[in-house]
Amino acid sequence: MRTPESALPQPRPSGPSRPVWQRLTLALLPLSLAACAVHGPPPTVATPVPPQWQAPLPHQGSVVELGRWWRQQDPLLAELILAADSVSPTVASAKSNIEQARAARAAASAALLPTLDASASVSRSRGAVFNRMVPPAATTAQLGLQSSWEIDLFGGAAASRDAEQQRLQGSQALWHSARVSVAAEVATQYHSLRACEQLLAVARADAASRAETARLTDLATKAGFQAPATAALAQASAAEGRSAATAQAAQCDIDIKALVALTALPEPELRSKLAQSPTAAADTRSDDTLAPVISVPAVVLSQRPDIFNAAREVDAAHLDVGSARAERYPRLSLSGSIAGNRSRTDGVSQRYNTWSIGPLQLTVPLFDGGASAANVEAAKARYENATAQYRGSVRQAVREVEEALVNLQSTADRSRDAAMAADGYRASFAGTEARYRSGLASLVELEDARRTLLAAQGALVNLQRERRVAWVSLYRALGGGWTADNTEGPVAGNPPTTSGPVN
């Protein structure tokens, strides 16, 4: 905070005006001391505001590092995320908000500086006729500079500038939040597509098995070893399998079109990339690589962009209270000008310069109908609202992280049982199929075993997809990922892998 001695123009050591400046300085000193009350510490917030926001730990807020983090689990997924980031309207809107906040900060900073305007004028005039004497015409030209400065005695303008700086930092965090949301959305859709491909492989294998059973049953019926009703049941089962495979293929096409919309990649190019991806041919029956995360340190939540932005809003709202209070105190302004003049009359030119400093004006608000007091109360209400929003953001962040951890643990606990169930039903179906071909089991028994196996395989694939989605949810809940040093668990830092069809 500047004192009046540094804020006001310094007088020359000599001259009659020096005592006046000294008296003015002494008169304004109490006002300067009162300014310290405008920017007091903010009221106590029950939930502590993070002292600073750190970029997400795995990739430090860098687009390149973000792609590298996702590339650990699937290079194609990282490529799709970067493509979606470049065309996302959400990210573009966040970038626009940053530019707007930067412009607002520049405007607030300019209020602390003097203004300087230039002016130029040219006039031509002739005086009145006197005693039939026509006076000559005169041309006058003027070029000048005018300056004015409202001295920020009580820090109101500085508080507004600092508030806009806080909002700029918050908008930058929200830009990163938009990138995290886009990455999570693409990853969720990608895992959904990969799960759909696995289910399609299961459905096609099941349809082929049903078709082979129908063929053999038809041959047995024609030879007189099976009843026509049994052949009809086998044909119906084959038709049902083909229908299920067709429906599953359509769902995969829908998932691809959703990825096309997110990434803006041409559909043929995207299909080619998906077909060439090594994960498409992978054989995974359980996600053993996705070990559970046991716990997450609370400090990791400080990297969430929404929490950081909410904290910045609290700071900005507190600064707005100080700015509103400053409007109730006297205002001091100083103005000055300098001009060069040229006058030409009857071929005779004259030049002269003028300059002025002042007036130094002190404006003391006396009565405004309670408008300034109402502005202060409104600013306080906005501060209380920002505080409540911050506390709510922290609670929501804790909830999202805990829910993601619960889902991860739940899928980990169910993975082994689901894989064991699929293997058991697969062996049971193989035995029933062998007995059916030997004539020791009916087609009804075979179809029951087939439906049970199909349900177990579908449940295993859906469980794997649920697990990957839970990892993506944890990524979003932590504000953009984590490293092994920030979580506890066997291999907590490993990102999820994407698997191929289940055999």
Side-chain angles (χ1 to χ4, degrees), residues 449-503:
R450 188 195 311 277
R451 281 190 292 270
T452 303
L453 172 60
L454 181 62
Q457 290 177 327
L460 180 59
V461 172
N462 288 326
L463 181 60
Q464 294 172 357
R465 180 189 61 81
E466 182 182 348
R467 183 154 178 73
R468 299 184 194 112
V469 171
W471 276 79
V472 175
S473 299
L474 183 59
Y475 162 84
R476 174 181 282 178
L478 293 179
W482 66 95
T483 62
D485 295 336
N486 304 123
T487 54
E488 298 178 6
V491 284
N494 292 349
T497 57
T498 305
S499 305
V502 175
N503 292 339

Side-chain angles (χ1 to χ4, degrees), residues 8 13 117 130 238 298-299 308 333 432 472 480:
L8 300 176
D117 300 316
F130 182 72
V299 69
F308 175 79
S333 61
T432 304
V472 175

Side-chain angles (χ1 to χ4, degrees), residues 338-362:
I338 183 171
N341 300 272
R342 180 179 179 181
S343 177
R344 183 180 180 86
T345 305
D346 232 4
V348 179
S349 297
Q350 293 182 345
R351 295 184 179 181
Y352 57 94
N353 299 325
T354 60
W355 62 271
S356 66
I357 297 179
L360 179 65
Q361 182 176 352
L362 180 65

Side-chain angles (χ1 to χ4, degrees), residues 124-139 344-345:
R124 185 173 177 83
S125 61
R126 185 190 298 274
V129 178
F130 182 72
N131 289 335
R132 300 182 179 179
M133 296 291 295
V134 180
T139 301
R344 183 180 180 86
T345 305

Side-chain angles (χ1 to χ4, degrees), residues 138-171:
T139 301
T140 304
Q142 185 183 59
L143 181 64
L145 297 173
Q146 296 86 33
S147 178
S148 63
W149 181 26
E150 182 171 339
I151 303 169
D152 192 26
L153 277 180
F154 298 99
S160 297
R161 176 203 59 196
D162 295 342
E164 296 301 336
Q165 175 63 27
Q166 296 296 323
R167 294 189 174 97
L168 173 59
Q169 294 178 5
S171 65

Side-chain angles (χ1 to χ4, degrees), residues 196-407:
C196 183
E197 291 175 346
Q198 295 179 54
L199 291 174
L200 178 58
V202 171
R204 285 175 174 172
D206 177 72
S209 176
R210 290 172 188 250
E212 179 63 15
T213 301
R215 186 185 69 84
L216 296 176
T217 304
D218 184 64
L219 292 176
T221 301
K222 291 178 179 180
F225 296 108
Q226 293 282 1
T230 302
L233 177 60
Q235 292 295 334
S237 176
E240 182 184 6
R242 290 192 300 270
S243 176
T246 302
Q248 193 63 48
Q251 182 59 50
C252 293
D253 288 338
I254 292 175
D255 288 340
I256 289 178
K257 293 184 183 300
L259 276 179
V260 169
L262 287 173
T263 62
L265 293 175
E267 185 171 337
E269 179 182 351
L270 178 59
R271 287 182 179 273
S272 176
K273 291 179 180 294
L274 290 169
Q276 296 172 4
S277 175
T279 58
D283 175 16
T284 300
R285 301 189 180 183
S286 64
D287 279 340
D288 294 333
T289 56
L290 302 186
V293 178
I294 299 175
S295 63
V296 175
V299 69
V300 179
L301 292 180
S302 65
Q303 73 179 4
R304 280 183 57 124
D306 58 339
I307 292 182
F308 175 79
N309 177 68
R312 301 288 74 73
E313 286 295 335
V314 172
D315 293 341
H318 172 250
L319 290 167
D320 286 341
V321 173
S323 179
R325 285 174 176 169
E327 294 296 324
R328 307 185 65 182
Y329 295 105
R331 296 188 297 273
L332 183 66
S333 61
L334 176 66
S335 60
S337 65
I338 183 171
N341 300 272
R342 180 179 179 181
S343 177
R344 183 180 180 86
T345 305
D346 232 4
V348 179
S349 297
Q350 293 182 345
R351 295 184 179 181
Y352 57 94
N353 299 325
T354 60
W355 62 271
S356 66
I357 297 179
L360 179 65
Q361 182 176 352
L362 180 65
T363 303
V364 180
L366 298 178
F367 178 76
D368 60 0
S372 58
N375 291 336
V376 173
E377 293 303 318
K380 290 180 178 179
R382 288 191 293 270
Y383 172 80
E384 294 298 331
N385 178 64
T387 303
Q389 294 298 325
Y390 172 77
R391 293 169 178 166
S393 297
V394 173
R395 292 194 299 269
Q396 181 65 22
V398 173
R399 173 188 173 183
E400 291 176 1
V401 172
E402 290 181 344
E403 287 180 351
L405 292 175
V406 168
N407 289 332

